[in-house]
Amino acid sequence: MSVSSLPETGATTFSNPVIPGFHPDPSICRVGEDYYLACSSFEYFPGVPVFHSRDLVHWSQIGNALDRPGQLRLPLDSRSSGGIYAPTLRHHDGRFWLIVTNVSSDGNMLFTATDPAGPWSDPVRLPGVPGIDPDLAWDEDGTCWCTVAGVGQVRLDPRTGETLGPVRKVWSGSPGAKAPEAPHLYRIGDYWYLLIAEGGTERGHGVSIARSRTPDGPFEPCPANPVLTHRGIDHPVQNTGHADLVQAHDGSWWMVLLGVRPGGGTPGWHVLGRETFLVPVDWVDGWPVVGELSLRAPAPPWPLQPVPVTPVRDDFDLSVLAPHWVSLRHRPPADCTTKERPGWLTLRARGASLDDTDVTFLGRRQQHLSCRARVLVDVGEGRGGLAVRLDERHHYDIEAASEEVRVLARIGSVSTVVASRPVPPGPLVLRVETAAVDTLTDALTGPDTITLGIEEPDGTFAGLAALDGRYLSTEVAGGFTGRVLGMFASSGAVHFDWFDYEPTDR
Ligand code: 6LW
């Protein structure tokens, strides 16, 4: 179906982020009128979520590139925000190519696929490619150039992984700017363009570009660098950087990039991680001019797809889990299954809690500043429940046991039971509500409140604890991820009949 034949939705604007929730380091490519995008995934398994769109605005997850242990080795004692850093996704010579770094085990690896939804190949290891943020680009004679953070570059045989020559430094970014990273190399018109992020992935983040007549430089920096940054400006999206360019099917140019939406008073806390945004790009005198990034932006000049409807409820009625579900570091089939009790998800504890790196967990990214998550849980003689997780040292949990439910808070080295109450044995509905703060009473206001509780038999919500959400933000916890809302088992086998995720943003 060509884009022109897509049903007209008549939309004249679109909402940013186009992929909300922790979907950082976006890399995009186009095949005909289909767009594909991949993101970092760190300690989560499966890794590298892959998305598809026909209009650059509405994206549906079609799979995860790294969905088996042979592709994704995450040591069970590895720290959060390790694992899978930034990928580059390209289409060349009739197939898809994904190059990515596993900082916790195998370093840089290359995968290929004929269908981006998978299956993807086993890894081609790249021992000669250093550092992080590897990029792939091919020149007319078929030479494959691999460019990495720093900014270094080496010729590569992408089928064997062999590097063909030394790694050379080709650019250091803008004078004085730290962390030149996220390089992407493009042949556009008469030039090779080298796009990078610099300034660090925090508030100083920005996008810069340079060009050369040859793929290996020397590169001439754009006089207008950084071509995009929000450092020091009053804008609801901050930390903008780590971008990738794509030419649309109509010849126009667009950029995807990461940004954060801090909430609360100063310094501002972002809780959803680094999200994927879309902005238009124009070309003037051989240099890109990046359009304004706004939360409600003018729609591209083609029909927008109807917004993909994501059901609120996952009934776990299927033998396979939807691709947005993630576990921590691995997912042993016996510990996370919908086959043991048909129509239910069974999580079997491995003797660890959410304070540990190897807890049995199944979650989905929080994608809205205000939202509601509910589960129907039957813990039997076990112990488990529903959690808002940033990492092992920053999570709020509502945990059910046979005759008690309790709210636990882990903030750094502090861990405490915040509330508890007796409950009758049997299935129970647990609920987590996050409510973003929309009016600042003072500079110390946090970004949101997280209320954890149970539903009474008549459905009313009995909140057991309302906790400050700043402690589950990246500014407090550190690292590169965002909140994940999920189910966990800390003892025995715990069964979940359904999981509801519902935006409640006003
Ligand atoms: C990624 C680097 C960065 O490799 O953070 O924001 C690292 N940019 O480019 C992890 O996302």
Side-chain angles (χ1 to χ4, degrees):
M1 177 167 70
S2 80
V3 175
S4 52
S5 65
L6 283 173
E8 293 271 345
T9 61
T12 58
T13 60
F14 73 91
S15 292
N16 261 318
V18 291
I19 306 182
F22 118 70
H23 295 101
D25 309 327
S27 180
I28 187 169
C29 70
R30 176 174 65 85
V31 181
E33 296 180 350
D34 291 292
Y35 299 88
Y36 299 96
L37 185 148
C39 296
S40 304
S41 52
F42 305 101
E43 72 268 21
Y44 289 98
F45 181 98
V48 187
V50 180
F51 296 86
H52 171 252
S53 176
R54 297 272 292 175
D55 61 14
L56 276 178
V57 168
H58 300 121
W59 292 88
S60 301
Q61 186 173 354
I62 57 174
N64 294 280
L66 313 185
D67 62 4
R68 52 187 192 269
Q71 296 172 312
L72 180 52
R73 272 189 333 114
L74 296 169
L76 300 186
D77 59 357
S78 59
R79 284 173 54 88
S80 287
S81 282
I84 295 297
Y85 276 33
T88 294
L89 177 66
R90 294 293 181 255
H91 186 262
H92 172 77
D93 203 17
R95 66 174 57 195
F96 291 88
W97 303 76
L98 182 93
I99 189 168
V100 71
T101 315
N102 184 334
V103 299
S104 297
S105 63
D106 298 309
N108 287 302
M109 299 176 286
L110 214 167
F111 302 84
T112 59
T114 51
D115 179 348
W120 285 79
S121 70
D122 289 336
V124 173
R125 284 181 172 67
L126 308 171
V129 175
I132 59 172
D133 298 358
D135 172 74
L136 291 176
W138 284 265
D139 66 22
E140 293 84 355
D141 71 7
T143 301
C144 178
W145 297 91
C146 180
T147 311
V148 294
V151 179
Q153 188 183 75
V154 66
R155 284 178 299 118
L156 182 67
D157 178 342
R159 298 184 190 278
T160 65
E162 184 190 358
T163 47
L164 309 173
V167 178
R168 294 175 52 251
K169 188 128 184 177
V170 291
W171 190 28
S172 299
S174 305
K178 73 174 185 176
E181 55 192 5
H184 290 307
L185 183 66
Y186 316 87
R187 177 63 193 267
I188 304 170
D190 297 333
Y191 287 99
W192 288 86
Y193 288 88
L194 179 54
L195 186 77
I196 67 168
E198 57 185 4
T201 196
E202 302 79 19
R203 298 289 190 267
H205 214 192
V207 180
S208 291
I209 195 165
R211 71 187 182 191
S212 168
R213 295 288 184 180
T214 54
D216 54 347
F219 287 95
E220 166 206 1
C222 175
N225 279 340
V227 291
L228 171 66
T229 186
H230 283 186
R231 59 182 79 131
I233 69 170
D234 182 12
H235 193 287
V237 181
Q238 290 291 315
N239 300 30
T240 51
H242 202 114
D244 201 3
L245 289 169
V246 66
Q247 185 172 28
H249 53 276
D250 71 344
S252 61
W253 283 88
W254 298 80
M255 176 187 279
V256 290
L257 69 144
L258 74 79
V260 303
R261 292 184 281 167
T266 183
W269 296 269
H270 72 275
V271 301
L272 300 185
R274 299 167 299 160
E275 306 175 275
T276 288
F277 292 80
L278 175 73
V279 288
V281 175
D282 197 358
W283 290 87
V284 176
D285 300 333
W287 291 113
V289 176
V290 182
E292 184 192 352
L293 191 165
S294 49
L295 293 177
R296 170 62 64 180
W302 50 74
L304 295 189
Q305 285 181 314
V307 179
V309 177
T310 307
V312 166
R313 177 161 295 185
D314 189 330
D315 272 316
F316 303 121
D317 286 344
L318 303 176
S319 60
V320 291
L321 292 170
H324 63 256
W325 290 113
V326 290
S327 297
L328 287 164
R329 298 175 181 83
H330 65 151
R331 184 184 288 168
D335 296 349
C336 177
T337 177
T338 55
K339 297 184 175 68
E340 182 171 325
R341 183 170 171 181
W344 292 66
L345 168 78
T346 298
L347 295 184
R348 191 172 303 284
R350 293 192 283 269
S353 76
L354 283 159
D355 293 342
D356 303 307
T357 54
D358 188 23
V359 64
T360 302
F361 176 85
L362 188 76
R364 50 143 306 142
R365 291 160 173 84
Q366 180 180 338
Q367 294 189 271
H368 299 84
L369 295 170
S370 296
C371 66
R372 173 180 306 129
R374 306 167 61 233
V375 291
L376 176 61
V377 65
D378 180 0
V379 292
E381 292 308 309
R383 182 178 284 275
L386 182 59
V388 184
R389 179 189 190 273
L390 208 75
D391 59 28
E392 290 80 29
R393 293 167 46 83
H394 300 85
H395 53 89
Y396 295 159
D397 332 322
I398 178 152
E399 182 185 68
S402 57
E403 296 185 356
E404 177 201 47
V405 66
R406 58 184 190 164
V407 173
L408 300 103
R410 174 71 191 264
I411 302 169
S413 54
V414 175
S415 181
T416 184
V417 175
V418 179
S420 66
R421 63 166 270 188
V423 290
L428 191 58
V429 176
L430 307 178
R431 187 194 297 188
V432 167
E433 297 260 0
T434 75
V437 167
D438 50 17
T439 50
L440 295 186
T441 47
D442 58 35
L444 299 180
T445 307
D448 66 348
T449 299
I450 301 175
T451 306
L452 305 98
I454 64 171
E455 288 183 12
E456 303 293 2
D458 65 2
T460 55
F461 179 39
L464 272 70
L467 304 176
D468 189 327
R470 82 182 72 194
Y471 303 111
L472 303 192
S473 71
T474 305
E475 280 78 9
V476 168
F480 297 118
T481 63
R483 288 182 189 164
V484 174
L485 306 175
M487 300 157 284
F488 66 94
S490 37
S491 167
V494 180
H495 308 276
F496 297 87
D497 188 5
W498 43 260
F499 181 108
D500 281 2
Y501 174 86
E502 202 169 350
T504 54
D505 288 334
R506 277 189 283 280

